Structure formats: C-alpha cells, structure tokens
Amino acid sequence: MKKTLSFFRVLLLLLLTGLQVTAQQNTSTDKRLAKYVVLISIDGLRPDFYLDPSWPVPNLQSLKNNGVYANGVRGVFPTVTYPSHTTIITGAMPAKHGIYYNTIFSDSGSTNVWYREEQMITTETLWDAVRKSGMTSACLSWPVSVGAPVDYNVPEAWINNAASINPHVTPGLFEEIQQNATGKLTYADMNLNNLAIDENLSRMAAYLIKRYKPNFTTVHIVCVDHAEHETGRNSEAVAKALASADHAVGNILQAIEAAGIKDSTAVIVTGDHGFADIHTSFSPNVLLAQYGIITKPGTKDGWKAMFHSSGASAFLHLKNSTDAKTLNKIRAILDSLPQNIKKLFRVVNREELDKIGADPRVALAIAPIEGVAISGSSNGELLRPARGGTHGFFPDFAHIQTGFIASGAGINNNIVINQMGLEDIAPVISKLLALSFQAPDGVLLPGIIKSPSMRGFRPPAVNGNINASQAPQEK
C-alpha cells in the first residue's frame, strides 16, 4: 500500500511539473509580438539605397513604407563584416563579443585565418536565447556561425572542394536543400564573383521558411559588398548587385506569404557597414620595418610591434603588451611624419578605443580620412594609388553608416529612427520573440516596437547612443 501511495505521489509531482513548464512556455508565447522573425543582412547596405528612390529596390521600398526605418546606423570599429555581424547577433561591441576583425591576429602577426566558429563568440547570441526558449532557428551564410546552436544551419564557410563545398552544414540539410530548392550547387554557384549566390541563399531561406517555419531566421546577402569593393559607391555593377539583393529579399517575402505566416512574421533588413570610395593606400607597417621594429614578418620572433590592417583602419599590437619603449618610439615615428602624410590619418588612443568597444588588446589604432585605405604590407612604398571602395573606417561619418528597415508583426508603422547603433538591433528581436536575453551594449529604442499605448501617437525621430545606459528603454 505504501509503495502504491509513493508511486501516485511521484506521478502527481511529475504531472504538476509538466503543467508548470507548459504554463511557463505558454506565458512566454503569449508575450511574443511576433511568432517569427526573419533577419536579413545585405552586406554593404547603405541608407541611400532605400532613401533615394532612384535605386532599384522595390521590395526594400515596400518594407520601408510599411514599417520603421533608420536614416543611418552607426557601426563598430573596425566597420568590417565579421565583427559587425556578431554585434548584430549579440547586441555587444567587439570588446565584449570577442570577434575583433574579419581575420585573426596571432603571435606570428596578421593571418588570413577568418573567425568562423561560433564558439569564438564570448557573449550570448540570439541563437543561444532562441534555443533556450524552446524555439527553432535557421541560418544562411551568417558570419561566425560554424557550430552555432541552430536547427537548420548553412554557415558561411564555403570552400572550393569537390567533395563538399560546405562541410559544416547541419547533417543531411544541404542535400535536402539542393534536391528541393536550388538544384546541384558547385563552389562557383556560391562565389562572390557570381550574383547567383544571393539567389541561391534566398532560395535556401525560402525553402526552410516554407518547410520548417523556424521562429528565427538569419540570412546574409553578399554581392553588393563585392560590387562596391570593385567599382566604388556608384556604378552599374552596384545597381545590378543591389537589384539582385532586392530580388533575394522578394523571394523570402514570397516564401513567408506562401507559408501562411505573413501576419505573424517580422522582417528586419539591415547591413554591416557603408562604403567609401578610395584613391590612396597607406602602409604603416612600412614605417615599422624601416625602423627595425618589424624584421621578419610572419614569424613569432621577427617583430616587436605590428599594425593589423582591417580595410580602412590599422590596430597596433605589441609583442610585449608592457613594452612602453617600443610604443613611445612608434608614437614618435608617427608624429614626425611630414604634414602632408599626417593629414591622411589620426591616431585613436586607448581611451577612445574603449569607448567605441574595439579590441582591448591593442595599444592604439590608425583611422584614415575618407578616401584612404590601409594596407598591412611591410615593404614597398608608404603611399600607393588605390581605386574602388572599402570600409573599416572609424564610424564617425555618414558614408560608412549602414541601414535598418523593420516591418510586419509587432513593428510600428511610419516611424523614422534618425540614428541608431548596430548593437541596438538585437534588443528589437529579443522583444519581438519575448526572449530571455540582455544585450550588453544595445538599447531598445522607443517607437520601433508597436505598443497599444502608442496608438494615435507620433513620437519624434529617436537616436541610438553607444553610451546608452541612461537612454529611454521600452519595457
């Protein structure tokens, strides 16, 4: 008899526990303003692409006219793809999330090894929070996503290998996608030199949305950036790539409608950085080589200090972080340059690097003026001609800003955000999906999220602030 009573007590306890978990999940679901969020990044997206009606972006224009958009989004430093996308997915600046550049700086100096694995990120991601909440996610070529806690993961890790052009895809998923969405894919189909990559990524996203309806989908559209690098800000190639990117957005929007989830889906389109035309390349490591600070680049012992270039910026790494003598020597070298060279850049000191949330390991950085790129070379001329476009600049001028558009479930209408930061995007997604997630540096800007208390109220344009601890925050 006692054993029977004990059994029923255990059974009752399990039943009550199950009911409690179900109630908690239902409560979380009830708080969601959107059942699904699709986050699309167009690499190299500039605000003028949707603010200027002459650009061929009917789908972006439709989203803009039926939602919220920003006049500009301030990026991270450096304004390059991998740290920027990690800030979008974490709400943290590089100093906290740990992805400081596109490529890793090692004890042998600069490398061509890219940050690929999600485990390199040192703060919580939205993917982590979505999985923790019991919801599902999909990822299409998002940077630093290899091994991410994503249900349907096609990470940005394409290789020219006949056996597999992306060995890190969720097992079985790539074959399924090729069979049902894209057809057989080769490396050439997923290469930046081919606009087909954007079409293929959008078809992958469209298939996953229609087949599995993931609660959170991240998509990285890439060819606009490539065109701007090759030809600068304004060219026929940029217009073609932009039209292709907009068509990719259209494929995803059609899939959302076909899946029957349009009314419960929020769509966010953003980017990682803007672009500036360039005419000159500056190589600060040439100076370090001339003064014997770099003797054998690419070796562990052949340098005392080295600039790690990142597009249009350079970050000074000391071999010995306490080597004040070498640091002072480099400061003196930079200060002794002729005025016609000194006017091409400014030195960003540690205090300012801390404020912008840049790599905490570096002693200083070089931020060139618009039009000047940075080379990591330690030989050749100090100044060389350059052409095309680049990014990586310190995020303090308009051309390097990216954009933001949000539309759909839970999103306000006819609201303009004057300025915001990349780190302010994650709080929007967290709010929409009712996630248990705190962005270390981002703030939820008033007016983006639809609120019953705001009906009939037209707030003024609002601004994001990197030091947003005292900024108004929607609860």
Side-chain angles (χ1 to χ4, degrees):
M1 182 67 178
K2 288 183 179 178
K3 289 184 179 180
T4 303
L5 289 173
S6 178
F7 169 77
F8 280 112
R9 287 194 187 100
V10 171
L11 185 63
L12 179 61
L13 180 62
L14 290 173
L15 179 62
L16 291 173
T17 301
L19 290 172
Q20 184 179 15
V21 170
T22 301
Q24 289 174 345
Q25 290 175 339
N26 288 339
T27 300
S28 178
T29 301
D30 292 342
K31 290 181 180 179
R32 280 190 287 174
L33 302 176
K35 189 174 180 181
Y36 311 97
V37 173
V38 177
L39 172 63
I40 304 170
S41 166
I42 299 177
D43 206 306
L45 178 71
R46 295 156 21 201
D48 61 290
F49 286 155
Y50 55 81
L51 295 176
D52 179 352
S54 67
W55 289 105
V57 290
N59 290 299
L60 295 190
Q61 287 289 346
S62 177
L63 292 169
K64 166 184 169 287
N65 294 335
N66 293 278
V68 175
Y69 68 92
N71 288 327
V73 180
R74 188 255 310 120
V76 302
F77 186 50
T79 45
V80 294
T81 299
Y82 277 46
S84 299
H85 278 84
T86 308
T87 289
I88 294 171
I89 207 75
T90 63
M93 304 304 280
K96 292 180 182 175
H97 66 54
I99 309 301
Y100 306 124
Y101 318 102
N102 285 344
T103 58
I104 297 168
F105 188 89
S106 74
D107 58 1
S108 296
S110 298
T111 72
N112 291 318
V113 179
W114 289 62
Y115 287 95
R116 297 287 190 194
E117 289 75 23
E118 189 267 351
Q119 66 180 5
M120 294 179 170
I121 300 173
T122 54
T123 55
E124 185 181 27
T125 68
L126 289 170
W127 298 315
D128 294 320
V130 167
R131 172 155 290 187
K132 188 168 59 177
S133 73
M135 292 186 283
T136 58
S137 60
C139 168
L140 287 310
S141 210
W142 197 270
V144 202
S145 60
V146 171
V150 172
D151 298 274
Y152 312 102
N153 193 8
V154 184
E156 184 161 280
W158 306 103
I159 57 174
N160 192 3
N161 187 316
S164 175
I165 61 172
N166 195 332
H168 303 288
V169 179
T170 301
L173 183 62
F174 201 48
E175 293 74 18
E176 178 185 344
I177 285 172
Q178 291 178 95
Q179 182 177 350
N180 294 286
T182 64
K184 179 67 175 176
L185 294 173
T186 66
Y187 182 71
D189 299 314
M190 304 304 295
N191 189 290
L192 288 174
N193 293 315
N194 190 344
L195 290 178
I197 185 174
D198 288 349
E199 177 70 16
N200 287 322
L201 288 170
S202 68
R203 288 184 181 184
M204 293 179 196
Y207 170 73
L208 294 177
I209 289 168
K210 288 185 288 186
R211 175 70 176 85
Y212 296 108
K213 299 181 179 64
N215 300 100
F216 180 47
T217 301
T218 52
V219 189
H220 181 208
I221 303 299
V222 298
C223 287
V224 173
D225 173 90
H226 182 67
E228 290 178 290
H229 273 298
E230 291 291 310
T231 63
R233 286 173 54 88
N234 301 300
S235 70
E236 183 179 345
V238 172
K240 286 181 179 179
L242 187 59
S244 175
D246 187 77
H247 179 71
V249 172
N251 288 342
I252 295 169
L253 296 178
Q254 289 177 2
I256 291 169
E257 189 163 4
I261 59 174
K262 181 179 179 180
D263 291 342
S264 54
T265 300
V267 177
I268 295 174
V269 180
T270 188
D272 46 0
H273 50 73
F275 253 88
D277 293 335
I278 57 171
H279 50 74
T280 299
S281 176
F282 174 51
S283 304
N285 281 331
V286 168
L287 293 170
L288 303 192
Q290 289 174 352
Y291 283 87
I293 297 171
I294 296 176
T295 55
K296 294 180 180 179
T299 66
K300 290 185 178 181
D301 301 319
W303 59 286
K304 292 182 179 179
M306 185 180 297
F307 283 104
H308 185 50
S309 64
S310 191
S313 57
F315 296 79
L316 182 66
H317 289 258
L318 296 172
K319 182 73 173 179
N320 179 350
S321 62
T322 63
D323 187 356
K325 182 179 179 180
T326 297
L327 176 58
N328 290 334
K329 183 177 180 179
I330 293 169
R331 289 186 184 276
I333 292 169
L334 295 174
D335 192 55
S336 67
L337 290 171
Q339 186 58 37
N340 63 341
I341 295 179
K342 286 172 63 176
K343 71 180 183 181
L344 300 179
F345 67 90
R346 71 182 181 91
V347 173
V348 184
N349 291 313
R350 188 63 257 173
E351 182 180 0
E352 192 174 2
L353 291 170
D354 289 337
K355 185 177 180 181
I356 196 66
D359 186 349
R361 304 168 301 171
V362 302
L364 58 82
I366 286 179
I369 62 173
E370 185 173 358
V372 177
I374 299 286
S375 167
S377 176
S378 59
N379 53 55
E381 298 296 321
L382 183 62
L383 296 179
R384 310 175 200 189
R387 60 185 303 172
T390 199
H391 49 90
F393 294 93
F394 194 91
D396 58 355
F397 61 95
H399 281 173
I400 205 59
Q401 291 184 339
T402 189
F404 173 87
I405 303 171
S407 182
I411 300 295
N412 221 326
N413 199 17
N414 296 319
I415 297 294
V416 180
I417 307 298
N418 186 29
Q419 296 287 319
M420 61 188 293
L422 274 184
E423 71 279 7
D424 299 330
I425 296 172
V428 175
I429 297 166
S430 178
K431 181 72 172 180
L432 290 170
L433 292 175
L435 300 174
S436 177
F437 174 86
Q438 292 294 324
D441 296 308
V443 61
L444 181 62
L445 297 178
I448 294 180
I449 298 296
K450 186 181 294 183
S451 171
S453 63
M454 295 182 64
R455 290 175 181 170
F457 173 63
R458 287 293 303 275
V462 294
N463 289 286
N465 183 351
I466 188 171
N467 300 312
S469 61
Q470 297 182 10
Q473 186 166 6
E474 203 169 277
K475 301 297 184 184

